[in-house]
Amino acid sequence: MLEKKALLAADEAPTKFQLKVPKGTRDFGPKSMAIRESVIKTVIDCFKRHGAETIETPVFELKDVLLGKYGEEGGKLVFDLADQGGELLSMRYDLTVPFARYLAMNKVAKMKRYQIAKVYRRDQPVMTRGRYREFYQCDFDIAGQYDPLIPDAECLKIVDEILSSLGLGDFEMKLNHRLLLDGMFAVCGVEAAQFKTVCSSVDKLDKVEWADIRNELIKEKGISAAVVDNLEEYVRARELRTSCSTSQQLIDSLKTDERLMANQSAKKGLEELTTLISYCELFGIAERVAFDPSLARGLDYYTGSIFETVVKDFSRRVSNHVVAPGKPGDTTEPTEDENVGVGSVAAGGRYDKLVGMFDSKGADVPCVGVSLGIERIFSIMELKAQLATVRTSETEVYVASPTKGQLQDRMKLCRTLWDANIKTEMPYKANEKMLNQMQYCEQRGIPLAIIVADSELQRGVVKIRNVVSRQEEEVPLVELVEAVRSRLLQWRIDDVRSQL
Amino acid sequence: MLEKKALLAADEAPTKFQLKVPKGTRDFGPKSMAIRESVIKTVIDCFKRHGAETIETPVFELKDVLLGKYGEEGGKLVFDLADQGGELLSMRYDLTVPFARYLAMNKVAKMKRYQIAKVYRRDQPVMTRGRYREFYQCDFDIAGQYDPLIPDAECLKIVDEILSSLGLGDFEMKLNHRLLLDGMFAVCGVEAAQFKTVCSSVDKLDKVEWADIRNELIKEKGISAAVVDNLEEYVRARELRTSCSTSQQLIDSLKTDERLMANQSAKKGLEELTTLISYCELFGIAERVAFDPSLARGLDYYTGSIFETVVKDFSRRVSNHVVAPGKPGDTTEPTEDENVGVGSVAAGGRYDKLVGMFDSKGADVPCVGVSLGIERIFSIMELKAQLATVRTSETEVYVASPTKGQLQDRMKLCRTLWDANIKTEMPYKANEKMLNQMQYCEQRGIPLAIIVADSELQRGVVKIRNVVSRQEEEVPLVELVEAVRSRLLQWRIDDVRSQL
């Protein structure tokens, strides 16, 4: 009892600090990193297949650069650096605003770039719901004055390729258009000043019943019941117009609405959606694309097409382990419902006016981009990986010895193998028990062990052991590298076959 | 004139902020990123060849974790986050202290890990000398209780492999031992409390004349002339003992010094150096290793072997463009001479007591590691790359059209090529001038263009154009993917041949 008290006192002593990472952050161990690396490789391979470049920007920006870009609520979540003299700095909150700053500052008028980096939000962390204060974003954007909707379609094609290669299961890419939303709201009688707040309610339609949204709009946001009932017809069009089975049919059905078509904004939105869907057909992705008039997302800076992709199978299963993808607009209302779409794994849209905010003459650079919910994708892949063994290192050969005194021979062999670009390890002890050495190989999934024994060395041979089958073969030292290479090749072929 | 004034006024208006990155930080554009990526790939390939895992830690730590780890001067350079309520946080200053925190917190007793990430120092930036406030570190460490010096030797082997693969030219890996330094200082009559300050003076011997160091020790640091003259014999041993042409000869020569060998610390240091050099011989790197009794480095936490690698050719040429590699000890005196060794590209050593500082019971995990001066290596590679064209994207095929109205055909072809995993781009304009399309290919180094023309499409063919030779060939559409693949293969073979 006394001992326990003494321990407690020691823990509470001011010189002693708690050994932990900052609230809302995590270390990633080797297993997480192995999964993350393989996901990131797939993603980057796709970006490169589309000719994208990459850039890097500092982890913090001048406070003024971020100021006023994330709405009132988002702004409160920015991490500031201490004023230690000099400039006032803030940690980046997303990758889009730094990208726009980069384009304006360097007078870059055209660029297809990706960036994968951590961003920082002083949010109330909800680890069980996967809301962290430090998390990765993975953005692909096309900047430049081009013909309408061609780059937009390529963004959707990229999402399609990435989700398909990762094997995440069925997914749906929802589409909408900022101009159509604006037009719908105007036609229904929503005041321009209320567009944003109405948007954020409407956007919840994939998770919440219409009755609740109606209630929120009327009681909390003071929209008249007549206006809300007007709205329902449009935002629930996908549910209500049951005769429309394709996106184009739904668009065509809205096009017959004279009141809507009298609004130039709505009209242009519907026309652009038609073009975008036709491009999706050319890219072979139309069947995964769905026009959804309730998709609103944050409207802070989107000016044209907006999209969001939902993975169907995992949407419920992983909702407790994930972080939402975040284009800035997402977090104007960082409530429990911040995560736009429960299974949302990619989101984006066109933002033609953001770069101009940074240009001294207000020169615009039209942009469209998509942010992958890479943390959510990591979580899904980690769930899938629980079923399989994840190798955290790639070692191919372990140089072991059953007898004492072989340290020097093992070191020489390691050198030979490393210099032949074969991934090799050996025990760091002069005399390690053979059992420990073999256990290490099995635990790490190392396919081959080379057994270095005195008696055999004198005959100029070593044994190569297949760790799984435990079969051993003698090989002359002079043929070792070739023998290892051919066995590794066979091991890789077997590995590929086992996956077929 | 009036217009100019108005412009100036606008620039100075308080609502207007200067469009820049924070002091001491940089954006990296596509060309820098392409070079950085290729260097990092070489480095990671080497780490993986040695069976290393990787981890990630948060960009900031609790302030208490960093407190007292970087000496008095280093501590002043830590970036703090603003107190916005909650924990007090600081940006990481290096990767070693977070690694030690990780090991202690997760009770990890053995790990071979690498980590490549940015660190932050609120240093007075000297961009012309390459001193930044945000820069990459690239660390490889082996943690665990093993037989002496085997992991230390592997760290040196890794440096040797990396520098050789990058083709940085001649380099020398200097070695010394903390225990030998302690012993030398004690034998010469330096007070224990002065070890550290004497160390930092002695360490400058590769850049400064002995006379200046002697002066500094006597006049600035108050060491007696007799003690300093005693020291000279040891720290300048490499210069003075001209009969010793190898490291082992220099060690043997010191071993004949009875006064030194009577000191147990010095004796053990020399014995360990002998073992380490014998291991370097087994690894085939001994000819690039040199025992240097003046190599002191920061002594804050090194407990055994210490090493530093200097690239000979580039040491002067790039000294104006570089950032020093930094294990914490380096920066106890962040003066103009902070960069330890003008051409230093890797540095490290053994630190057996750091993890214990984080463990509640003080349990030690012995560690040895090396930090690559990756920013310096980037600079050297950028200098080398100035001579060559650096491709910032990897596009292999550009789908062009000389005639109007081919947008849809081009989009369909792109889809086919992307789906066949061929890196493809096309103009985002429906009708782009042919000259612009061909210029884009040439500027970007894209090897093949596919020319889609109406008349040819009607015959079921397109042309494949070799961008360099400008030769064109008709290919049936149904054979396009195979035709592109075989030409890309030929292009790669030609590219490899041109490098031979």
Side-chain angles (χ1 to χ4, degrees), chain B residues 219-414:
Chain B
K219 297 203 177 141
E220 290 175 33
K221 303 196 170 174
I223 315 289
S224 81
V227 167
V228 175
D229 292 337
N230 269 339
L231 267 178
E232 181 180 7
E233 187 191 332
Y234 296 121
V235 299
R236 294 185 67 197
R238 215 180 152 191
E239 286 171 80
L240 301 177
R241 303 194 181 202
T242 47
S243 65
C244 304
S245 62
T246 69
S247 296
Q248 194 51 54
Q249 282 168 357
L250 189 54
I251 291 171
D252 291 341
S253 140
L254 288 175
K255 276 186 177 170
T256 62
D257 183 324
E258 285 178 18
R259 192 176 54 152
L260 196 60
M261 292 305 276
N263 179 293
Q264 288 311 303
S265 179
K267 189 168 177 235
K268 189 168 181 210
L270 285 169
E271 276 163 9
E272 290 215 336
L273 283 167
T274 303
T275 306
L276 183 52
I277 286 170
S278 76
Y279 290 164
C280 288
E281 268 155 24
L282 294 170
F283 281 160
I285 57 171
E287 66 210 71
R288 263 98 61 207
V289 162
F291 166 50
D292 185 338
S294 76
L295 175 67
R297 299 187 46 68
L299 273 188
D300 274 80
Y301 59 55
Y302 286 118
T303 56
S305 62
I306 50 181
F307 30 84
E308 180 177 312
T309 300
V310 180
V311 172
K312 292 175 183 172
D313 296 353
F314 284 91
S315 59
R316 299 286 151 191
R317 230 201 297 173
V318 300
S319 62
N320 291 335
H321 302 271
V322 292
V323 165
K327 286 282 175 177
D330 295 354
T331 51
T332 46
E333 298 204 343
T335 64
E336 279 295 299
D337 296 311
E338 179 199 0
N339 291 5
V340 180
V342 177
S344 166
V345 291
R350 176 160 285 283
Y351 52 102
D352 286 347
K353 301 290 174 189
L354 185 63
V355 178
M357 289 174 70
F358 290 109
D359 189 86
S360 55
K361 290 168 188 161
D364 285 323
V365 177
C367 294
V368 62
V370 63
S371 183
L372 288 176
I374 193 82
E375 293 283 354
R376 176 165 289 172
I377 293 172
F378 290 148
S379 299
I380 295 173
M381 298 308 280
E382 279 184 358
L383 278 181
K384 289 178 75 165
Q386 280 171 6
L387 308 169
T389 326
V390 175
R391 288 195 71 190
T392 59
S393 56
E394 299 174 9
T395 309
E396 297 162 326
V397 176
Y398 195 73
V399 180
S401 52
T403 51
K404 289 194 177 182
Q406 305 307 324
L407 175 63
Q408 301 204 346
D409 298 307
R410 281 193 282 118
M411 289 180 91
K412 275 195 271 184
L413 279 181
C414 278

Side-chain angles (χ1 to χ4, degrees), chain A residues 428, chain B residues 46-48 50-53 99 112-115 138-142 151 154-155 158 327 351 368-372:
Chain A
Y428 290 126
Chain B
C46 174
F47 294 154
K48 289 193 169 172
H50 288 258
E53 305 174 312
F99 177 53
K112 179 156 51 175
R113 87 89 180 75
Y114 69 89
Q115 190 173 359
C138 177
D139 283 19
F140 172 87
D141 295 83
I142 301 173
E154 189 167 354
C155 288
I158 278 174
K327 286 282 175 177
Y351 52 102
V368 62
V370 63
S371 183
L372 288 176

Side-chain angles (χ1 to χ4, degrees), chain A residues 243-287:
Chain A
S243 65
C244 304
S245 61
T246 69
S247 296
Q248 195 50 56
Q249 283 168 358
L250 189 55
I251 290 171
D252 291 341
S253 141
L254 288 175
K255 277 184 177 170
T256 63
D257 184 324
E258 285 177 18
R259 191 177 55 154
L260 196 59
M261 292 306 277
N263 179 293
Q264 289 309 304
S265 181
K267 188 166 176 239
K268 186 165 183 213
L270 285 169
E271 277 163 8
E272 290 216 336
L273 283 167
T274 303
T275 306
L276 183 52
I277 285 170
S278 76
Y279 290 165
C280 288
E281 268 156 25
L282 295 170
F283 282 161
I285 57 171
E287 64 210 73

Side-chain angles (χ1 to χ4, degrees), chain A residues 319-337:
Chain A
S319 61
N320 291 336
H321 303 270
V322 293
V323 166
K327 286 282 175 177
D330 295 354
T331 50
T332 45
E333 298 204 342
T335 65
E336 279 294 299
D337 296 311

Side-chain angles (χ1 to χ4, degrees), chain A residues 156 172-182 184-185 195-196 198-207 210 213 231 234-239 250 254 273 276 288-299 302 304-310 325 330 339-342 344-350 370:
Chain A
L156 293 168
E172 182 179 77
M173 299 190 278
K174 294 192 222 172
L175 280 193
N176 201 0
H177 200 289
R178 164 72 188 256
L179 293 180
L180 175 60
L181 280 167
D182 284 354
M184 273 167 22
F185 292 168
F195 277 14
K196 217 159 117 175
V198 170
C199 242
S200 82
S201 296
V202 164
D203 193 48
K204 295 175 192 167
L205 196 53
D206 59 338
K207 297 182 298 258
W210 171 251
I213 292 170
L231 267 179
Y234 295 120
V235 299
R236 293 186 69 199
R238 217 181 151 192
E239 287 170 78
L250 189 55
L254 288 175
L273 283 167
L276 183 52
R288 263 98 60 206
V289 162
F291 165 50
D292 185 338
S294 77
L295 176 67
R297 299 188 46 70
L299 274 186
Y302 287 118
S305 61
I306 50 181
F307 30 85
E308 180 177 313
T309 300
V310 179
D330 295 354
N339 292 6
V340 180
V342 178
S344 165
V345 290
R350 175 161 286 283
V370 63

Side-chain angles (χ1 to χ4, degrees), chain A residues 20 53 87 147 154 392 430, chain B residues 20 53 87 147 392 428 430:
Chain A
K20 65 185 286 293
E53 305 175 310
E87 299 162 340
D147 282 339
E154 188 166 356
T392 59
Chain B
K20 66 185 283 294
E53 305 174 312
E87 299 163 341
D147 283 338
T392 59
Y428 289 126

